[in-house]
Amino acid sequence: MFRCLIKDFEARPSVTHLLEHPFIKQAHGKDVALRQQLAALIKEQQEVGCAAKTKHERINTRKTLIIEGSPDDDLVNLEFLDEETIIGHLHKRYNELQVYTYVGDILIALNPFQNLSIYSPQFSKLYHGVKRADNPPHIFATADAAYQSMVTFCKDQCIIISGESGAGKTESAHLIVQHLTFLGKANNRTLREKILQVNPLVEAFGNACTAINDNSSRFGKYLEMKFTPTGAVIGAKMSEYLLEKSRVIKQATGEKNFHIFYYMYAGLYHQDELKTYRLPDRTAPRYIDSPHCKVMQDIISSKLYKEQFEVIQECFRNIGFTEEEVSSVYRILSAILNTGNIEFAAITSQHQTDKSEVPNSEALENAASLLCIGPEELQEALTSQCVVTRGETIIRTNTVDKAVDVRDAMSKALYGRLFSWIVNRINTLLQPDMNICAAESSMNVGILDIFGFENFKKNSFEQLCINIANEQIQFYFNQHIFALEQMEYQSEGVDASLVEYEDNRPILDMFLQKPMGLLSLLDEESRFPQATDHTLVDKFEDNLRCKYFWIPKRLELSFGILHFAGKVMYSVAGFLEKNRDTLPADIVVVLRTSENKLLQQLFSSPLTKIGNLATARARVSAASRSLPPQLSSGHSKSPKYLLKVDTMEMMRHPEETTNMRRQTVASYFRYSLMDLLSKMVVGQPHFVRCIKPNDDRKALCFCKDRVMVQLRYTGILETVSIRRQGYSHRIRFEEFVNRYYYLAFRAHQMPETSKENVAAILERARLQDWVLGKTKVFLRYYHVEQLNLLLREVIARVVVMQAYTKGWLQARRYQKQKDKRNRCATVIQSAWKGYVAWQNLKQMKKEREEAAVRIQSAYRGHRVRRDCGPQRHRCNPEAGVKTTKEDHMGCKSPTSANQANVGPESRDRHVKDAKRDKDGMTKPRRETARQCKQAGPVMKLHQRTPRRRGQQPKMLNSPEDSLYYNQLNRTLDYQGSKRKPRKLGQIKVLDGEDEYYKLLSMVESIPEEEYESSTPARLF
């Protein structure tokens, strides 16, 4: 039976052979029974259902990958809604490696803690402009929904990724950027590679290993990908918030510093360049050293660090950093590590007992050399400070503890400003080309990847800021999903059931309100020099009286906060110092005098309100006369240094670039949240909720209790309810009609904005469960997708018609242009052919004239020679065997003016003729001579010798020429006006006026060679 499936049609059996098969013969006449059996079998299979579902993995086939979705992909489709049902459904899907699940238009992503083969370009093609229900849930589907909404509605989009630390937010952001880059189809491959390599580079400087996550984001990142109105990616811009700079100088137990320090150390070690950057090769610097592990051994033996360093090098090159900039970055990082090794010791003197010094200057000199400053100036800035009071400058010495704080503050400032500079540099290199698309017409898709909610055994000021930021993200989610939707139900008069949810606005007010919020109280206490951690706790306890804040009785210097994600205990130790983040002015002044251009830029540019480095401005450099006296002395001998000092920056007070009295970390944090929300509110949000299935980071391990806690505080159950009952899309009538009127009206008809037209469009689209309010239409989360697909089909048909019409018009226009070109070509050819024919005619006339002249010359010569024979005979009657010299002179007329002018030339010619006559003179010649003697007076003429081509014309010195012209003049004078001019090309007929030809014809021609050899050179 399977022979009929053979691809070769020649070897395939025919219908006749198949009917003769025994199996077919058995079924003959049993059609009804077979149909009944087949129907019963199909019904049985439908009742039993599918026993197991295949995993969505890569299929190794050349055919197109086809994966179908199922109703279980969306939690809204569940029949019963409770926590146990949702947990069981997620657990089942997680065991089948289906880590993504929909909640309406919201995506839940479970961290698989392993690499899955569902992110290849083949899967990217599946999630490109298709209906969401056609494929299983995927992170690519969320990126495609944002992209299609941006192109369709011409509105900015925002993808918000939230979840705990270690839930997979960073990796999800990578995949979204990857798919958006694929959808954007950048014009050049270089731009696409640059955008894809931004995240690895920034994460190397901003991510670190923590107790619960090996690649934890220690800063907030908002990446804006910029597109043209047609959907082509043209650039990107990154905004960074609240870098955890304190990690540079100190890490908690089990944690590490930022990745870049280990990558750089391993890369320089394997390249044998540690000495170049003044780094030790045996003991790790203090900032990256740990008593619990052997750091240097890990750096040397780890292949990951070495490979990552090569990746970072490649990212620097591909994005566009110069080698000088990369070298400066490594020098500053190495200077930070050497700065951490600077140690201080107390010294006592007669007047000062709290003075400090640097006992071992090796680390100090290494740091100063890498920073391109003097070691004396650096030591003075670390161990003393200048205070200006009422116009007087007072120098105070620092204690050991104060010097250590100044050293650490300088290290944090160096790293923080360097990180901001890298981000600004990336933005400069990835900014869109204004020639391609104007800034006003470009559209953005923002991707928020912020540090997740954290709850460690010991939580400090950094964890407080991180959790407040997550509170703000949760509040934005609640407002968009619940509050705003239900407010519009009431204002539009829509009968919809209200969903209760946990509103975290009171917690945010406790943190952010002025003047009694927690951050405001922290700033107020930070302004008092004598404030301590105890006074800060007392202030909190006296002013924060709400159920979300409490002070534990058994723990000192701590307080508790009831966050949306649970209770967290915070240790107050170091809150005030971390919030102040004071950078002394002396350090700023010294670093500004560096010969390193990058370091000058870092400490010359002011800080923004969110604490980041502002974009560098053009500055004027001058000599060191603007330096303070205590700094100019150390560099008076360096002319190279004098050219690099910035006078404008030296005159500006350091507080203008550090804002150390006016700004604190808490104020930076507040402005950062405001800036972040202002960018998120502009775009239409798309939410991705990342869930951590277990705390041990094990694959295929699903902890129900851990997942349940995350589902509760993220409000997934309430989200499922409101997505099932509510209307996530609320569109104004005017906008709806303008967008979808193609579905029910003709393209040239612009219908009025009314409820009737809106209802007509929805009915024509065959949608159900929609509601019309007073000014808006309320749609389910899946209605907009269906409308967009219908609109896309209509537009596709319109585009096809336009394509054919434009093709016909272009063909017609091309034919007209072709005919016009043909006519022009004919005119040009006609003119050219006429010109060529005229030139040919002129050439022919010229040739004919030359031929006529030659014929006339030959004919006249013939006539002269024929007629000259009898005349010579008459002029020389005594000619015999011997000839005299007069025979060669010709017959001369008695009246000729040249009768006596017989020179040597004529005598030579006569001698030559005599010799020739002796050798053999013919009879006609003797007769001719006799005739000439009998003619009376002796007249001897010489034959005019023909001239060769190119020979100069003869002068009128010969006797024949004189005779020719004298005879011609007499003839012309005689005839007068009776002579008529000849026409062009007319052959002259010999008449009476040409009697001189008859005289010349009596003289036989003399070869020109003999004539030239017999005549001496003439004097012209």
Side-chain angles (χ1 to χ4, degrees):
M1 282 298 296
F2 293 100
R3 292 180 58 194
C4 60
L5 301 179
I6 297 176
K7 294 183 178 181
D8 188 2
F9 68 93
E10 295 181 355
R12 195 181 306 161
S14 63
V15 179
T16 305
H17 291 85
L18 291 177
L19 292 176
E20 296 296 333
H21 197 276
F23 181 81
I24 300 298
K25 287 184 177 181
Q26 293 178 4
H28 182 68
K30 301 179 182 179
D31 299 343
V32 178
L34 290 175
R35 289 175 182 173
Q36 292 178 356
Q37 294 178 8
L38 184 59
L41 182 62
I42 293 174
K43 184 177 181 181
E44 181 181 357
Q45 291 294 329
Q46 289 179 348
E47 292 176 355
V48 173
C50 184
K53 193 171 183 179
T54 59
K55 301 176 182 179
H56 302 307
E57 296 182 354
R58 178 181 293 181
I59 300 176
N60 294 325
T61 176
R62 294 181 181 179
K63 298 182 180 180
T64 305
L65 182 62
I66 301 176
I67 300 178
E68 297 181 356
S70 65
D72 297 339
D73 295 337
D74 198 339
L75 296 181
V76 176
N77 298 328
L78 296 180
E79 186 176 358
F80 300 100
L81 280 181
D82 54 12
E83 292 182 349
E84 293 297 332
T85 304
I86 293 176
I87 288 294
H89 190 73
L90 293 177
H91 189 191
K92 176 184 176 182
R93 293 178 63 84
Y94 186 75
N95 289 336
E96 296 172 355
L97 285 181
Q98 300 179 29
V99 296
Y100 298 109
T101 307
Y102 290 131
V103 181
D105 53 354
I106 301 170
L107 182 69
I108 297 178
L110 292 168
N111 194 344
F113 292 113
Q114 60 177 321
N115 295 324
L116 300 179
S117 58
I118 58 174
Y119 307 110
S120 62
Q122 193 174 10
F123 277 84
S124 296
K125 296 178 181 179
L126 287 177
Y127 295 90
H128 183 194
V130 298
K131 191 176 180 180
R132 189 180 60 174
D134 294 343
N135 296 318
H138 203 285
I139 191 71
F140 288 169
T142 301
D144 181 68
Y147 178 80
Q148 298 299 335
S149 299
M150 178 197 68
V151 176
T152 303
F153 304 143
C154 297
K155 186 178 180 181
D156 294 343
Q157 307 292 312
C158 177
I159 302 176
I160 301 170
I161 308 172
S162 59
E164 291 188 359
S165 179
K169 299 184 299 299
T170 301
E171 188 63 27
S172 298
H174 286 180
L175 296 173
I176 290 175
V177 173
Q178 172 186 334
H179 194 59
L180 286 176
T181 308
F182 169 80
L183 297 175
K185 296 179 181 178
N187 295 329
N188 51 352
R189 186 177 180 182
T190 305
L191 176 60
R192 182 168 54 191
E193 292 178 353
K194 286 182 179 180
I195 295 176
L196 292 177
Q197 291 182 349
V198 165
N199 282 332
L201 178 60
V202 176
E203 289 169 7
F205 285 84
N207 289 21
C209 178
T210 62
I212 60 177
N213 188 3
D214 291 339
N215 189 30
S216 178
S217 298
R218 310 317 299 169
F219 72 107
K221 176 180 60 180
Y222 188 77
L223 179 63
E224 296 176 276
M225 296 185 63
K226 299 184 179 296
F227 297 84
T228 61
T230 58
V233 60
I234 56 175
K237 180 182 179 181
M238 178 178 291
S239 302
E240 52 97 4
Y241 303 97
L242 300 172
L243 178 68
E244 188 185 357
K245 296 183 293 185
S246 60
R247 182 171 292 273
V248 176
I249 62 174
K250 187 178 181 181
Q251 304 89 38
T253 304
E255 297 187 356
K256 293 183 179 180
N257 210 321
F258 291 104
H259 293 326
I260 187 61
F261 289 110
Y262 305 96
Y263 298 164
M264 181 191 69
Y265 219 108
L268 296 179
Y269 174 82
H270 290 285
Q271 294 179 1
D272 296 332
E273 293 186 2
L274 289 178
K275 293 183 179 180
T276 306
Y277 293 92
R278 307 293 183 92
L279 294 175
D281 56 352
R282 295 183 180 180
T283 59
R286 190 178 65 87
Y287 280 163
I288 63 174
D289 196 9
S290 176
H292 304 284
C293 61
K294 298 180 180 179
V295 178
M296 284 301 300
Q297 185 176 356
D298 294 342
I299 291 176
I300 295 173
S301 60
S302 176
K303 294 183 179 179
L304 176 64
Y305 291 159
K306 179 184 176 182
E307 294 174 356
Q308 288 298 322
F309 178 75
E310 295 175 355
V311 171
I312 297 304
Q313 291 279 80
E314 188 68 19
C315 291
F316 273 128
R317 285 192 296 268
N318 291 341
I319 293 177
F321 286 81
T322 62
E323 295 183 0
E324 182 181 359
E325 291 173 344
V326 176
S327 178
S328 298
V329 169
Y330 291 154
R331 290 181 67 89
I332 293 176
L333 293 175
S334 302
I336 292 174
L337 295 179
N338 279 281
T339 302
N341 292 337
I342 299 176
E343 297 180 354
F344 301 94
I347 58 174
T348 58
S349 61
Q350 183 176 0
H351 303 285
Q352 297 177 347
T353 59
D354 55 354
K355 188 176 181 181
S356 60
E357 66 173 1
V358 180
N360 187 2
S361 61
E362 181 181 0
L364 178 68
E365 292 176 355
N366 291 339
S369 176
L370 292 170
L371 295 175
C372 299
I373 58 178
E376 296 82 5
E377 287 79 6
L378 179 59
Q379 181 177 356
E380 184 178 356
L382 292 174
T383 58
S384 63
Q385 57 179 337
C386 297
V387 180
V388 180
T389 304
R390 297 179 180 178
E392 296 183 358
T393 302
I394 302 175
I395 300 178
R396 296 180 180 178
T397 58
N398 294 334
T399 62
V400 174
D401 295 337
K402 181 65 176 177
V404 170
D405 293 339
V406 172
R407 177 199 65 190
D408 294 342
M410 185 184 77
S411 299
K412 291 191 295 183
L414 282 170
Y415 193 83
R417 292 176 181 242
L418 178 63
F419 183 74
S420 294
W421 177 84
I422 291 175
V423 173
N424 293 340
R425 183 62 177 157
I426 291 174
N427 293 336
T428 302
L429 295 172
L430 295 184
Q431 62 183 356
D433 188 1
M434 292 297 101
N435 296 327
I436 299 176
C437 180
E440 297 79 9
S441 60
S442 62
M443 295 177 294
N444 303 330
V445 175
I447 304 159
L448 177 64
D449 176 21
I450 200 169
F451 23 57
F453 189 87
E454 295 181 348
N455 187 5
F456 300 146
K457 294 181 180 179
K458 182 180 180 181
N459 302 288
S460 185
F461 181 69
E462 294 80 14
Q463 280 69 44
L464 177 65
C465 295
I466 290 172
N467 293 339
I468 293 176
N470 281 271
E471 287 279 359
Q472 185 69 67
I473 299 301
Q474 180 65 23
F475 174 75
Y476 177 79
F477 177 82
N478 292 339
Q479 289 293 308
H480 185 80
I481 300 298
F482 302 107
L484 297 178
E485 186 171 331
Q486 296 182 8
M487 287 175 59
E488 290 195 4
Y489 293 160
Q490 297 176 0
S491 63
E492 292 287 330
V494 176
D495 185 12
S497 59
L498 301 180
V499 178
E500 296 182 358
Y501 65 96
E502 288 291 335
D503 189 5
N504 63 338
R505 178 186 286 274
I507 306 177
L508 278 178
D509 292 340
M510 181 194 71
F511 285 126
L512 303 176
Q513 71 179 355
K514 292 182 179 182
M516 303 306 295
L518 187 144
L519 295 181
S520 297
L521 296 174
L522 178 60
D523 284 344
E524 181 181 351
E525 194 68 13
S526 299
R527 294 189 182 97
F528 294 104
Q530 304 301 325
T532 60
D533 296 334
H534 289 279
T535 60
L536 179 63
V537 173
D538 295 340
K539 186 181 285 291
F540 286 164
E541 187 176 8
D542 295 338
N543 295 279
L544 300 177
R545 297 182 179 274
C546 59
K547 63 179 182 179
Y548 305 104
F549 177 87
W550 75 92
I551 300 292
K553 296 181 180 180
R554 297 181 181 181
L555 296 177
E556 295 182 357
L557 298 178
S558 62
F559 62 91
I561 299 292
L562 181 58
H563 289 280
F564 76 101
K567 298 179 180 179
V568 180
M569 297 299 299
Y570 296 97
S571 176
V572 186
F575 261 47
L576 293 174
E577 189 63 29
K578 291 178 180 179
N579 185 48
R580 291 181 183 127
D581 194 22
T582 305
L583 181 63
D586 302 85
I587 296 294
V588 177
V589 172
V590 170
L591 293 178
R592 283 181 184 173
T593 61
S594 171
E595 298 181 9
N596 191 326
K597 295 181 181 180
L598 176 57
L599 195 59
Q600 283 185 9
Q601 184 178 350
L602 295 183
F603 286 89
S604 297
S605 302
L607 298 180
T608 61
K609 288 186 177 182
I610 62 177
N612 297 338
L613 194 68
T615 305
R617 299 174 296 178
R619 306 185 185 282
V620 181
S621 298
S624 63
R625 58 178 179 272
S626 60
L627 281 171
Q630 64 271 22
L631 296 179
S632 60
S633 60
H635 294 277
S636 59
K637 298 181 180 181
S638 177
K640 179 181 178 181
Y641 170 79
L642 299 180
L643 299 177
K644 293 182 177 294
V645 179
D646 196 332
T647 57
M648 185 173 66
E649 290 304 328
M650 293 306 303
M651 290 185 291
R652 180 187 292 125
H653 195 272
E655 289 185 3
E656 296 186 20
T657 57
T658 59
N659 299 326
M660 56 187 179
R661 292 186 180 179
R662 291 175 290 177
Q663 296 291 345
T664 59
V665 176
S667 62
Y668 287 145
F669 177 73
R670 183 182 284 109
Y671 283 119
S672 298
L673 289 181
M674 294 172 58
D675 183 71
L676 181 60
L677 283 177
S678 66
K679 294 180 179 179
M680 293 166 53
V681 170
V682 173
Q684 179 182 351
H686 302 263
F687 295 97
V688 178
R689 309 291 277 184
C690 296
I691 304 296
K692 189 159 90 171
N694 60 81
D695 292 332
D696 299 329
R697 291 175 283 181
K698 294 182 179 179
L700 297 177
C701 180
F702 190 89
C703 181
K704 292 186 177 181
D705 296 336
R706 190 71 182 86
V707 175
M708 179 66 71
V709 172
Q710 299 177 66
L711 294 180
R712 284 175 180 173
Y713 72 69
T714 53
I716 294 297
L717 183 60
E718 293 81 2
T719 304
V720 173
S721 301
I722 198 170
R723 279 293 176 263
R724 171 182 285 187
Q725 303 172 11
Y727 304 93
S728 60
H729 295 276
R730 288 86 60 188
I731 307 174
R732 294 184 177 275
F733 291 157
E734 181 179 1
E735 183 181 355
F736 183 84
V737 172
N738 292 336
R739 187 184 303 168
Y740 298 111
Y741 78 92
Y742 294 102
L743 301 178
F745 300 91
R746 295 184 180 275
H748 64 276
Q749 296 178 352
M750 189 60 191
E752 297 180 357
T753 302
S754 61
K755 285 187 178 182
E756 292 76 13
N757 292 334
V758 174
I761 295 173
L762 293 172
E763 291 174 357
R764 185 66 179 270
R766 298 180 182 179
L767 300 183
Q768 298 177 355
D769 298 334
W770 44 268
V771 177
L772 296 179
K774 297 179 181 179
T775 60
K776 295 183 179 181
V777 54
F778 289 78
L779 304 175
R780 303 284 187 183
Y781 67 92
Y782 51 85
H783 282 162
V784 173
E785 182 183 9
Q786 295 177 1
L787 287 172
N788 291 337
L789 290 176
L790 292 174
L791 182 62
R792 195 179 305 165
E793 293 177 359
V794 173
I795 293 177
R797 292 195 293 268
V798 172
V799 169
V800 172
M801 296 177 62
Q802 289 179 350
Y804 277 102
T805 305
K806 290 179 179 179
W808 179 79
L809 291 175
Q810 290 295 333
R812 185 179 178 185
R813 186 179 295 111
Y814 173 74
Q815 188 64 33
K816 291 182 179 179
Q817 292 290 338
K818 187 177 179 180
D819 295 341
K820 185 177 179 181
R821 290 179 180 178
N822 291 337
R823 291 194 299 270
C824 295
T826 302
V827 173
I828 294 173
Q829 290 176 358
S830 176
W832 174 253
K833 290 180 179 178
Y835 171 76
V836 173
W838 177 247
Q839 294 296 324
N840 293 337
L841 180 60
K842 290 174 65 177
Q843 184 67 22
M844 290 176 61
K845 288 183 178 181
K846 183 178 180 181
E847 291 177 356
R848 287 180 180 179
E849 292 176 359
E850 293 177 355
V853 171
R854 291 178 182 176
I855 294 173
Q856 291 176 3
S857 176
Y859 182 74
R860 291 172 181 173
H862 170 70
R863 291 284 301 274
V864 169
R865 286 190 296 272
R866 188 186 62 184
D867 299 339
C868 187
Q871 294 180 5
R872 281 188 75 179
H873 182 69
R874 289 194 298 269
C875 293
N876 300 295
E878 297 178 358
V881 179
K882 296 183 180 180
T883 59
T884 61
K885 297 181 180 179
E886 296 179 354
D887 294 339
H888 302 279
M889 297 288 294
C891 298
K892 295 183 181 179
S893 176
T895 59
S896 177
N898 299 325
Q899 185 176 3
N901 297 334
V902 178
E905 297 178 358
S906 300
R907 289 194 297 268
D908 294 340
R909 245 181 283 162
H910 295 164
V911 175
K912 212 170 185 182
D913 291 342
K915 291 181 180 180
R916 188 172 52 195
D917 292 341
K918 290 179 180 180
D919 294 337
M921 179 180 291
T922 59
K923 186 177 180 180
R925 184 172 181 83
R926 295 190 184 100
E927 294 178 355
T928 302
R930 285 193 297 270
Q931 291 175 2
C932 291
K933 289 181 180 180
Q934 295 174 3
V938 180
M939 176 180 276
K940 297 181 180 180
L941 297 176
H942 282 283
Q943 178 71 25
R944 296 182 65 189
T945 58
R947 290 183 292 112
R948 293 182 180 180
R949 181 175 297 178
Q951 185 178 358
Q952 293 183 356
K954 287 186 177 181
M955 302 301 293
L956 301 180
N957 293 336
S958 60
E960 60 270 22
D961 292 336
S962 300
L963 178 63
Y964 168 80
Y965 281 103
N966 292 334
Q967 189 72 20
L968 177 61
N969 291 334
R970 286 195 299 270
T971 305
L972 293 178
D973 292 340
Y974 170 75
Q975 291 185 354
S977 62
K978 294 180 180 182
R979 185 178 183 181
K980 296 180 180 180
R982 285 182 295 161
K983 295 182 180 181
L984 182 63
Q986 184 178 359
I987 301 175
K988 183 179 179 180
V989 180
L990 298 178
D991 49 12
E993 68 181 20
D994 296 324
E995 293 180 357
Y996 58 92
Y997 284 110
K998 297 179 180 180
L999 300 177
L1000 293 176
S1001 62
M1002 294 183 300
V1003 183
E1004 292 184 358
S1005 61
I1006 301 173
E1008 190 171 358
E1009 293 80 0
E1010 297 181 2
Y1011 175 77
E1012 291 179 355
S1013 60
S1014 63
T1015 57
R1018 296 179 182 178
L1019 298 176
F1020 292 94

